[in-house]
């Protein structure tokens, strides 16, 4: 058997494994109390049903919010191999805490507070055992598909540097800064989510910005030529 | 309003890149993987929910049980001990001359039992309060003073002495740990007779006449043996007799022990007896043992059975009351003492001793007061008092209204004491002799015999002293505090009469009977001198070594070396 046959065989096996996983996900066991139809219900109704033990309703909530939760988690913790585990953790926390959800805010907002709490705990743990550069590089998202390979490599390097710099500032500052700059939330909204005063959140953002700017400056002084510049001069 | 951030171009570009990179959600495979795993975890949560509820119930039950146990233990620990609830307090009415610390001055407490919350004794002026703690012993607080009695750490009974002089007699078999705290001084004691003097602010003096106590003060722990005193500013004990404070405390302790009332412990057998009548503030004592119980109106706990009480009041004839105390029935007894008639001084020619003899004969008359009826009759039963003293009136002389002759044992003793203070030893001896003859069963009679012996020896009448001492030793209780001094006095009489062998035997017996008494110190030193007198140096050295071992800070420790120099020569 040639090497090409082996590679092809492995690819096929991998494809089969993926399809099996997808099929098992689509054929989940019957929930204990199955609702007639949960597709057209809003979040509040689904929460009420899920609170009463309707696992279909919670599954519907999961389907609705998984993308947003994943995106927010990715922004807060960066390219971390435990990102998916953290997302699962968010939904498990939400399932356990459904009884405490009063419905004062939207379910997505409440879910976001759980995302922030889970991310904060993870970032604190991560500061004690930071990721290696290789691990981080493996987990980086593809930035754009249409760009040239050099452009993609440059963006990946820039993203890697940013994640490394974000990993060096304190989790509270990092979360507040990302929520403000990337999510575009106001100080009041951030304060509500993280459970702090707007002034404290403003200070965190200010300090985070100052530290990131200083790190960027040091980075530029240390390596004035970027990867693309180096390649172009080669 | 939130202002936009002014980011540097590099940082803004990096953050925009991050936003773009994380704009996409997970792919289908990742989403399906996460869904499967979340569902699996939720299944596990649902499956373990009943078990968690059960374990939660178990934890709650365990916590509740632990709390209940803790509460129970706290209640048991804080439960007021019966012995503390039944503290009997008497603060008035004793004979001031013999029991000066029992006399109630202005502001003295009214007699009665302390309630559950009244475990603090405060006496003002020169008043003295005595508390009988059943199962523990008795304490006397000399005013002005303040004492709190409570159950302290380690189930010990704590006596917190804020000020005043505390005289304590703790029963060695009580099984209770007793601790006295005065300022920064702590006195640990199990069975002893000791005094704590906190009248001088932080300078607390501790004196011991029986047993041993441990005094802790400023991280220094001193063991204090019988016959020693620890002064407030010192860390080394000294002999009681070496300082005025030590002598005074020891003397007071002797009086305290001598007058310990025989109140029954707080047991099921104890019965409350209320004694009241006319005149008020009469002294009630046990006719058999002579122990003072207090002054009327009086409520006292006595052991059930028959009891014979004696009631004395100045200017009145004494009366003896027989009561039968039954279990579960509080008893009340009343009395009315007859006032003495106005007496006329006898003519000069009348021999001084004759009226006493007549009085003595009259006391032996078979006329006895009727036995009083017992409770529940609330009205006091009046008794005709025994004619304790005849009216020695003489028609040849005009009657002068005077009460010059003492009527009670207490007054006789006071008169004897006053005479001794004036230096009138003969008068004192005659008063004491009268006391012994008229009140042979009074508690003061034993002390009076001792005093007569002492006076007789000083007057050069050793035979009479010996007779009184023998009678006293025969009649006194085995625990009487004057036994050791009396036995030493007997030995001294033998010495006065030059009976050296008998004196040495007497001293040896004294040392064997009272090895830790104050008199053992003197006895050992006298034996050493006797050995030196016989030129028995070996025996003298043996006795000196024994003295140094038993009384390292004894009164004669300095004289010991000087005496032993005679052997060296």
């Amino acid at each position: 058997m040639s090497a090409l046959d082996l590679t092809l065989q492995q690819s096929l096996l991998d494809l089969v494994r993926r399809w099996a996983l997808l099929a098992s996900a689509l054929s989940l066991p019957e929930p204990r109390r199955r609702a007639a139809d949960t597709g057209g219900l809003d979040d509040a109704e689904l929460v009420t049903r899920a609170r009463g033990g309707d696992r279909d309703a919670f599954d519907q909530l999961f389907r609705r919010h998984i993308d947003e939760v994943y995106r927010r988690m990715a922004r807060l913790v960066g390219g971390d191999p435990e990102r998916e585990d953290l997302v699962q953790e968010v939904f498990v926390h939400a399932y356990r805490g459904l009884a405490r959800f009063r419905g004062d805010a939207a379910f997505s907002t409440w879910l976001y507070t759980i995302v922030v709490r889970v991310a904060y705990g993870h970032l604190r743990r991560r500061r004690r055992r930071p990721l290696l550069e290789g691990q981080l590089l493996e987990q980086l998202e593809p930035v754009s598909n249409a760009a040239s390979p050099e452009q993609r490599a440059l963006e990946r390097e820039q993203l890697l540097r940013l994640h490394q710099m974000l990993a060096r500032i304190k989790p509270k500052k990092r979360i507040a800064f990302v929520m403000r700059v990337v999510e575009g939330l106001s100080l009041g909204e951030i304060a509500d989510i993280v459970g702090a005063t707007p002034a404290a959140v403003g200070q965190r953002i200010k300090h985070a910005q100052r530290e990131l700017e200083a790190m960027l400056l040091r980075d530029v002084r240390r390596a004035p030529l970027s990867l693309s510049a180096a390649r172009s001069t080669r | 309003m939130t202002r936009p951030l002014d980011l540097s171009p590099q940082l803004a570009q990096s953050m925009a890149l991050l936003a773009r990179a994380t704009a996409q959600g997970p792919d289908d495979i990742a989403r399906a993987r996460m869904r499967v795993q979340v569902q699996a975890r939720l299944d596990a949560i649902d499956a373990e929910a009943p078990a968690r509820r059960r374990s939660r119930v178990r934890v709650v039950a365990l916590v509740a049980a632990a709390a209940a146990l803790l509460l129970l233990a706290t209640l048991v620990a804080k439960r007021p001990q019966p012995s503390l609830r039944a503290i009997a307090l008497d603060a008035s009415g004793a004979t001031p001359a013999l029991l000066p610390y029992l006399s109630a001055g202005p502001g003295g407490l009214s007699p009665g039992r302390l309630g559950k919350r009244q475990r603090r004794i405060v006496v003002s002026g020169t008043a003295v309060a005595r508390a009988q703690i059943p199962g523990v012993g008795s304490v006397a607080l000399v005013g002005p003073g303040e004492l709190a009695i409570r159950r302290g750490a380690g189930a010990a009974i704590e006596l917190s002495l804020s000020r005043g002089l505390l005289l304590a007699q703790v029963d060695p078999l009580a099984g209770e740990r007793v601790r006295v705290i005065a300022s920064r001084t702590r006195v640990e004691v199990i069975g002893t007779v000791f005094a704590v003097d906190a009248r001088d602010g932080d300078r607390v003096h501790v004196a011991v006449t029986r047993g041993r106590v441990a005094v802790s003060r400023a991280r220094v722990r001193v063991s204090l043996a019988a016959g020693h005193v620890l002064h407030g500013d010192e860390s080394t004990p000294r002999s009681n007799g070496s300082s005025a404070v030590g002598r005074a405390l020891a003397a007071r302790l002797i009086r305290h022990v001598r007058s310990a009332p025989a109140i029954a412990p707080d047991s099921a057998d104890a019965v409350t007896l209320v004694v009241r009548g006319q005149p008020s503030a009469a002294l009630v004592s046990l006719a058999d043992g002579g122990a003072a119980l207090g002054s009327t109106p009086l409520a006292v706990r006595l052991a059930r059975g028959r009891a014979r009480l004696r009631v004395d009041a100045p200017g009145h004839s004494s009366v003896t009351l027989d009561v039968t105390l039954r279990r579960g029935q509080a008893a009340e007894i009343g009395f009315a003492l007859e006032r003495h008639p106005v007496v006329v001084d006898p003519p000069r020619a009348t021999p001084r001793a004759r009226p006493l003899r007549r009085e003595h004969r009259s006391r032996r008359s078979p006329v006895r007061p009727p036995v009083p009826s017992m409770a529940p009759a609330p009205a006091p039963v009046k008794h005709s008092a025994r004619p304790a003293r005849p009216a020695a009136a003489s028609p040849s002389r005009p009657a002068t209204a005077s009460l010059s002759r003492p009527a009670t044992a207490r007054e006789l003793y006071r008169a004897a004491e006053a005479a001794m203070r004036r230096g009138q030893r003969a008068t004192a001896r005659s008063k004491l002799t009268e006391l012994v003859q008229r009140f042979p069963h009074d508690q003061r009679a034993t002390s009076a015999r001792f005093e007569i012996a002492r006076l007789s020896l000083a007057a050069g009448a050793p035979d009479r002293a010996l007779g009184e001492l023998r009678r006293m030793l025969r009649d006194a209780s085995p625990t009487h505090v004057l036994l050791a001094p009396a036995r030493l006095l007997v030995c001294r009489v033998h010495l006065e009469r030059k009976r050296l062998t008998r004196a040495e035997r007497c001293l040896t017996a004294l040392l064997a009977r009272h090895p830790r008494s104050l008199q053992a110190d003197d006895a050992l030193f006298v034996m050493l001198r006797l050995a030196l007198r016989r030129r028995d140096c070996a025996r003298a050295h043996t006795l000196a070594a024994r003295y140094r071992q038993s009384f390292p800070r004894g009164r004669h420790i300095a004289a010991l070396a000087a005496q032993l120099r005679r052997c060296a020569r």
Side-chain angles (χ1 to χ4, degrees):
Chain A
M1 193 180 283
S2 65
L4 183 65
D5 292 340
L6 276 176
T7 312
L8 191 63
Q9 192 176 357
Q10 281 179 353
S11 302
L12 279 172
L13 279 174
D14 187 46
L15 195 62
V16 167
R17 207 178 297 126
R18 282 172 172 243
W19 272 111
L21 192 64
L22 194 58
S24 69
L26 292 174
S27 60
L28 288 170
E30 286 290 312
R32 290 170 191 169
R33 287 172 56 188
R34 194 173 186 87
D37 181 20
T38 54
L41 298 176
D42 62 352
D43 281 358
E45 185 63 30
L46 287 173
V47 167
T48 309
R49 288 192 178 195
R51 210 182 275 166
D54 186 351
R55 283 279 293 278
D56 246 5
F58 190 78
D59 190 47
Q60 189 62 31
L61 286 170
F62 177 86
R63 286 166 190 267
R64 279 187 195 176
H65 296 282
I66 177 70
D67 288 354
E68 191 60 29
V69 168
Y70 185 87
R71 268 197 296 273
R72 285 177 166 169
M73 187 61 81
R75 285 167 187 163
L76 290 177
V77 301
D80 197 296
E82 295 179 22
R83 198 167 39 196
E84 287 185 13
D85 294 340
L86 296 175
V87 170
Q88 293 171 32
E89 197 68 31
V90 169
F91 281 100
V92 169
H93 275 284
Y95 184 73
R96 281 185 170 152
L98 272 179
R100 292 191 297 271
F101 177 60
R102 294 173 306 198
D104 297 340
F107 179 73
S108 58
T109 309
W110 181 66
L111 212 53
Y112 198 10
T113 60
I114 299 176
V115 170
V116 169
R117 203 164 55 237
V118 170
Y120 175 67
H122 174 74
L123 289 173
R124 284 187 65 190
R125 287 193 299 275
R126 179 61 74 205
R127 270 171 74 85
R128 288 195 287 272
R129 42 184 180 85
L131 288 171
L132 299 174
E133 189 174 315
Q135 288 176 304
L136 202 58
L137 205 58
E138 278 177 14
Q139 300 293 326
L140 283 181
E141 301 83 358
V143 180
S144 57
N145 294 327
S148 64
E150 287 83 5
Q151 183 66 25
R152 282 210 299 272
L154 184 61
E155 284 179 351
R156 279 175 70 84
E157 190 193 3
Q158 198 174 352
L159 205 55
L160 177 69
R161 294 275 173 258
L162 178 64
H163 281 314
Q164 285 175 337
M165 285 190 295
L166 284 172
R168 274 150 63 184
I169 62 176
K170 285 189 174 178
K172 278 184 183 177
K173 296 177 188 173
R174 173 178 179 168
I175 288 171
F177 186 75
V178 169
M179 288 169 84
R180 176 79 186 92
V181 174
V182 181
E183 302 277 343
L185 299 179
S186 68
L187 293 183
E189 288 168 335
I190 299 170
D192 285 343
I193 290 169
V194 301
T197 62
V201 170
Q203 286 296 315
R204 288 176 196 173
I205 293 168
K206 187 175 150 189
H207 288 149
Q209 181 187 355
R210 193 180 299 160
E211 288 173 29
L212 288 171
E213 301 273 13
M215 280 189 267
L216 268 175
L217 196 62
R218 277 202 299 273
D219 207 24
V220 169
R221 278 179 189 163
R222 201 175 297 157
L225 298 176
S226 65
L227 186 63
S228 58
R231 279 176 185 164
S232 63
T233 54
R234 199 182 295 164
Chain B
M1 185 177 173
T2 309
R3 287 184 305 174
L5 285 175
D6 186 17
L7 301 177
S8 67
Q10 292 91 345
L11 188 56
Q13 188 186 357
S14 297
M15 295 310 291
L17 195 62
L18 176 66
R20 248 187 302 138
T22 56
Q24 293 177 350
D27 57 8
D28 289 344
I29 297 294
R31 194 179 294 119
R33 191 169 51 226
M34 283 189 285
R35 187 175 171 222
V36 168
Q37 290 175 356
V38 166
Q39 292 288 3
R41 290 183 67 177
L42 297 189
D43 283 342
I45 289 170
D46 287 344
E48 72 185 19
R52 197 185 304 131
R53 264 199 298 276
R54 276 200 301 274
S55 71
R56 198 175 295 163
V57 168
R58 203 174 297 141
V59 167
V60 168
L62 279 173
V63 168
L69 277 175
L70 193 67
L71 186 67
L72 194 67
T74 310
L75 285 176
V76 168
K78 287 188 176 176
R79 184 171 57 90
Q81 299 294 319
S83 58
L84 289 190
R85 275 211 302 266
I87 293 171
L89 180 71
D90 173 39
S92 64
T95 47
L98 187 68
L99 315 168
Y101 43 88
L102 273 179
S103 64
L109 292 175
S110 59
R113 291 181 63 204
L114 286 178
K116 186 179 174 184
R117 295 179 182 176
Q118 294 173 296
R119 288 184 216 139
R120 183 172 290 275
I121 304 170
V122 182
V123 289
S124 58
T126 56
V128 178
R130 156 168 278 175
Q132 179 80 11
I133 308 173
V136 174
S138 64
V139 295
L141 178 65
V142 182
E146 189 172 347
L147 177 75
I149 305 172
R150 61 168 172 263
R151 181 68 62 172
I157 288 181
E158 274 186 7
L159 309 174
S160 286
L161 181 66
S162 306
R163 60 200 168 98
L165 169 63
L166 177 75
L167 308 166
Q169 181 184 11
V170 177
D171 182 2
L173 302 176
E176 295 274 8
R177 288 174 57 213
V178 178
R179 186 183 300 141
V180 180
I181 301 168
S183 186
R184 289 173 300 173
T185 302
R186 295 166 73 88
V187 182
E188 300 276 353
V189 51
I190 300 176
T192 186
V193 175
F194 66 103
V196 181
D197 188 355
R199 291 175 295 187
D200 197 8
D202 284 345
R203 295 182 74 242
V204 177
H205 312 291
V206 182
V208 183
T209 59
R210 189 191 301 165
R212 185 178 285 271
V213 301
V215 182
S216 305
R217 178 189 292 161
R219 296 181 183 175
V220 176
R221 189 177 170 91
V222 182
S223 181
L224 209 57
H228 288 92
V229 62
L230 184 69
H231 290 288
D233 48 359
E234 296 175 0
S235 59
T236 310
R238 288 201 278 168
S239 170
N240 271 343
S242 63
S243 68
V245 173
R247 281 194 295 273
L249 291 180
R252 287 207 141 177
L253 280 170
I254 289 171
R255 290 183 193 139
H256 172 66
V257 173
R258 196 189 296 173
S259 61
I263 299 174
D266 186 47
S267 64
D269 286 345
V271 180
T272 303
L273 172 68
V274 177
V275 185
R276 64 179 81 206
Q278 290 297 328
S280 61
L283 178 69
V284 182
S285 55
L286 290 176
D288 300 334
L293 297 179
S295 64
T296 58
L298 173 74
V300 66
R301 300 274 289 172
L302 292 173
R304 68 186 173 93
R306 293 183 66 81
R308 174 168 285 187
L309 306 179
R310 182 184 176 84
V311 184
D312 294 292
H316 294 74
S317 56
S318 303
V319 68
T320 306
L321 309 172
D322 286 314
V323 295
T324 304
L325 302 170
R326 293 184 180 83
R327 179 185 286 183
Q329 291 183 2
E332 182 169 343
I333 190 167
F335 63 88
L337 301 185
E338 281 184 2
R339 181 175 280 280
H340 286 308
V342 175
V343 298
V344 179
D345 287 342
R348 287 172 186 274
T350 307
R352 293 176 70 187
R354 286 184 68 80
L356 295 181
R357 291 200 194 101
R358 280 206 300 274
E359 287 164 12
H360 190 55
R361 279 200 299 273
S362 67
R363 181 172 167 69
R364 289 178 181 174
S365 63
V367 179
R368 293 182 61 81
V371 176
S373 63
M374 283 304 305
V381 182
K382 294 194 173 184
H383 302 277
S384 60
R386 184 184 299 167
R389 199 167 62 88
S394 169
S396 60
R397 288 177 65 88
T400 54
S402 72
L403 290 171
S404 59
R405 183 157 299 173
T408 64
R410 181 178 66 173
E411 288 181 353
L412 278 171
Y413 201 95
R414 286 182 65 181
E417 278 194 334
M420 283 176 69
R421 278 197 294 272
R422 289 194 301 268
Q424 300 169 349
R425 291 184 176 181
T427 311
R429 202 166 58 196
S430 73
K431 297 287 180 195
L432 292 168
T433 307
E434 186 182 348
L435 190 156
V436 168
Q437 289 173 346
R438 286 177 55 194
F439 306 101
H441 300 296
D442 192 277
Q443 60 166 346
R444 299 161 190 83
T446 310
S447 308
R449 286 194 193 282
F450 177 76
E451 295 295 339
I452 291 169
R454 209 166 52 83
L455 291 170
S456 301
L457 195 62
D463 291 335
R464 186 176 177 194
L466 201 57
E468 292 291 348
L469 287 170
R470 281 179 179 154
R471 274 191 288 276
M472 179 208 160
L473 291 172
R474 185 191 61 209
D475 296 339
S477 67
T479 57
H480 199 282
V481 75
L482 284 177
L483 281 182
R487 290 201 168 103
L488 184 66
L489 211 54
V490 170
C491 303
R492 280 186 59 194
V493 171
H494 291 318
L495 283 172
E496 291 280 331
R497 297 168 78 175
K498 308 293 182 193
R499 296 172 181 168
L500 300 185
T501 311
R502 192 176 287 187
E504 191 153 11
R505 265 207 312 269
C506 173
L507 291 167
T508 308
L510 171 67
L511 278 174
R513 283 172 186 249
H514 310 282
R516 305 297 303 172
S517 66
L518 287 170
Q519 288 70 31
D521 182 351
D522 291 332
L524 206 52
F525 187 67
V526 172
M527 285 174 70
L528 185 142
R529 292 186 64 182
L530 286 174
L532 286 173
R533 186 170 177 166
R534 291 196 311 270
R535 300 197 177 279
D536 187 354
C537 285
R539 170 88 172 143
H541 278 289
T542 308
L543 290 169
R546 186 177 169 189
Y547 187 95
R548 288 195 189 99
Q549 187 183 0
S550 303
F551 306 100
R553 298 179 188 281
R555 278 180 288 178
H556 308 290
I557 197 78
L560 213 60
Q563 291 287 333
L564 288 175
R565 263 188 234 120
R566 292 166 60 183
C567 272
R569 283 200 298 268

